[in-house]
Amino acid sequence: MNPRRLLSVLAGLVAATGLPYLVFAALSVVWDPEGSPADKRRDHRPTVSVVLPTYDEAEIVESKLQSICSWDYPMERVEVVVVDSSDDDTPEIVESFFTDRVTPSLTLIEEDERRGLAVALNEAYAAAENEVIVKTDCDSRVAADAVREAVANLADPAIGAVTGRNAEVLGGSAVERGYRDVQARIQTLESHLDSTFVFHGPFSAFERDAVVPVDDDSIADDTELALRIRRGGDRVVFDPAIRYMEAAHSEFRKRRRQKDRRAMGLVRLLWRQRDALFRPQYGLYGAVVLPFNFWATVVSPWLVAGGVAVATLAGLALAGPVGLAVPLAVYAFVLAGSRDALGDLQPVYSLFDTQVSLFRAALKLLAGEGDGTWEVDAELREAYD
Ligand code: GDD
Ligand code: MN
């Protein structure tokens, strides 16, 4: 192929990758909604089941329980459901924490063997008895008023689920913060259009009656449950007034494994649920939100990979062997970026890095990986001691 032809293919790939973001950026210039779209009612005090899954969390589970008990919500209306698959003494620590404590009440589910987070959560959701289910991870901290904000959203009969915002990243970099802010804008827009796609593990709240089981091998359980609830008819929204903190590695290299896994979860979920795309019964969620996320998550990593391949071919066609400088430059960019050594270009790398994870995720899924269990990151837990 001649180089000009290759260059126009390359331009096409770049445009196709960026297009959905440009549409969103343009939309947010003319329309800039804020906060949750729900008709929030602040006097609503439903009973709440707080679901906490644990796998070998002996180091941090007690401080997590303490922080749950300090939430600004009437604790006599709260039940804590711990579903545990640990090999360490997490369940004993949980039980002794609740000895002599009148409220909140404890439901402890001890699994005889570890079958993955999704299986554990399905059990916990089935056992939860209260009107609202709040799911939270052990390695996160939730703002004291988060549950009040969440139930105010759920008081709106159109809303079946609500998630919150990562307000502070423990140990995270400034790049990460920039990225989270963009994500919060997109999720706010999606919610005002109809519903958002991604739900966050550190804090998600669901109307109990709307909850259905997720796939046993799910590695995007919160997002999958929200998607299923939306398919059931209720809106599922993002409210930036609900705040949580989560520990993260500041080094890209250390983040890779968790990022790849989360990417696998989202790619597989969108692929499995692709029949919801453009279905009129799902309103703007089916017409805009899901296609946008499908494009950005499933399609665009292949466009980026194709772009690198085409740029290499164009380089070879234009400059002979010197054209190999193109993939070498990309490789150097990734190496430097993953070591946080790009200075002002670091945010650009951060976007590219997400595409790298999504691409690796697609390859891992094609190779049959992703059974729903993983190694819990011990180093991240040090932030909570
Ligand atoms: N009962 C049980 N069984 N709990 C588990 C298991 C398991 O097999 N595996 C992990 N957990 C618990 C952990 O103890 C922790 O409280 C929570 O589930 C999240 O596990 P992390 O190891 O911290 O995973 P993460 O931070 O990458 O998880 C995030 O992504 C997942 C999807 O990939 C969270 O947002 C999860 O909620 C989400 O499901
Ligand atoms: Mn975690």
Side-chain angles (χ1 to χ4, degrees):
M1 259 209 278
N2 76 45
R4 289 188 59 174
R5 195 67 192 274
L6 287 170
L7 287 177
S8 53
V9 172
L10 180 60
L13 286 173
V14 171
T17 308
L19 187 71
Y21 294 99
L22 285 181
V23 171
F24 256 77
L27 184 61
S28 66
V29 170
V30 292
W31 185 51
D32 193 26
E34 269 174 37
S36 164
D39 182 11
K40 286 167 85 169
R41 253 191 42 206
R42 305 214 165 258
D43 55 348
H44 187 49
R45 289 288 173 271
T47 55
V48 172
S49 295
V50 178
V51 168
L52 178 68
T54 52
Y55 177 73
D56 286 0
E57 301 283 20
E59 297 290 323
I60 61 170
V61 70
E62 186 173 353
S63 70
K64 176 71 190 188
L65 292 171
Q66 238 144 25
S67 91
I68 290 173
C69 292
S70 71
W71 288 351
D72 182 12
Y73 201 79
M75 282 296 145
E76 63 282 2
R77 303 189 69 69
V78 175
E79 160 204 39
V80 177
V81 182
V82 176
V83 58
D84 181 80
S85 347
S86 300
D87 301 316
D88 67 6
D89 43 358
T90 302
E92 289 75 34
I93 298 173
V94 171
E95 276 188 317
S96 77
F97 181 86
F98 282 92
T99 317
D100 302 330
R101 197 175 284 269
V102 184
T103 64
S105 64
L106 169 70
T107 302
L108 175 61
I109 305 168
E110 288 187 72
E111 291 199 307
D112 40 19
E113 72 176 322
R114 185 186 189 199
R115 278 163 294 168
L117 180 55
V119 175
L121 285 173
N122 282 336
E123 269 183 75
Y125 294 156
E129 295 193 330
N130 287 341
E131 296 156 82
V132 166
I133 291 177
V134 165
K135 142 88 196 325
T136 184
D137 289 335
C138 227
D139 61 330
S140 64
R141 286 294 173 273
V142 172
D145 61 353
V147 175
R148 272 196 295 135
E149 297 289 343
V151 300
N153 278 274
L154 295 175
D156 181 335
I159 309 283
V162 62
T163 191
R165 118 180 235 146
N166 196 340
E168 198 185 316
V169 186
L170 293 176
S173 65
V175 177
E176 174 116 4
R177 186 160 348 113
Y179 182 75
R180 303 276 172 181
D181 289 347
V182 173
Q183 193 183 30
R185 281 246 48 79
I186 292 177
Q187 293 208 264
T188 301
L189 268 170
E190 290 180 337
S191 300
H192 281 261
L193 282 172
D194 180 319
S195 293
T196 195
F197 172 62
V198 173
F199 262 55
H200 302 283
F203 190 98
S204 291
F206 310 97
E207 203 90 66
R208 210 239 357 235
D209 291 344
V211 168
V212 290
V214 296
D215 294 341
D216 279 351
D217 61 351
S218 184
I219 37 180
D221 53 272
D222 313 287
T223 302
E224 178 175 336
L225 180 50
L227 183 148
R228 290 184 181 279
I229 290 175
R230 178 62 191 84
R231 292 193 77 157
D234 287 354
R235 286 174 71 182
V236 299
V237 300
F238 171 81
D239 183 354
I242 300 171
R243 294 164 301 130
Y244 62 79
M245 295 191 292
E246 188 185 19
H249 291 298
S250 58
E251 279 174 77
F252 280 91
R253 263 180 307 170
K254 292 193 178 168
R255 284 227 294 272
R256 177 63 66 204
R257 207 194 305 182
Q258 186 185 55
K259 217 172 156 176
D260 283 3
R261 168 162 49 76
R262 290 181 177 186
M264 278 165 78
L266 296 179
V267 170
R268 187 165 66 186
L269 174 64
L270 283 162
W271 184 252
R272 284 185 180 166
Q273 301 282 337
R274 64 189 182 279
D275 64 309
L277 292 167
F278 303 115
R279 278 281 185 85
Q281 81 240 47
Y282 303 131
L284 288 174
Y285 182 72
V288 180
V289 175
L290 280 182
F292 167 72
N293 283 284
F294 191 88
W295 191 268
T297 308
V298 181
V299 180
S300 94
W302 294 91
L303 300 178
V304 171
V308 172
V310 172
T312 305
L313 289 178
L316 290 172
L318 282 169
V322 179
L324 287 178
V326 175
L328 285 177
V330 173
Y331 186 63
F333 179 68
V334 171
L335 274 188
S338 64
R339 281 164 175 70
D340 255 319
L342 284 174
D344 288 347
L345 277 183
Q346 203 61 44
V348 181
Y349 174 73
S350 151
L351 280 177
F352 188 77
D353 185 79
T354 300
Q355 297 295 315
V356 171
S357 266
L358 289 166
F359 191 66
R360 289 164 54 97
L363 297 181
K364 288 182 178 188
L365 287 169
L366 288 171
E369 283 185 43
D371 69 352
T373 51
W374 59 83
E375 209 177 296
V376 170
D377 189 323
E379 200 184 326
L380 278 184
R381 266 103 187 127
E382 287 164 14
Y384 300 98
D385 280 355

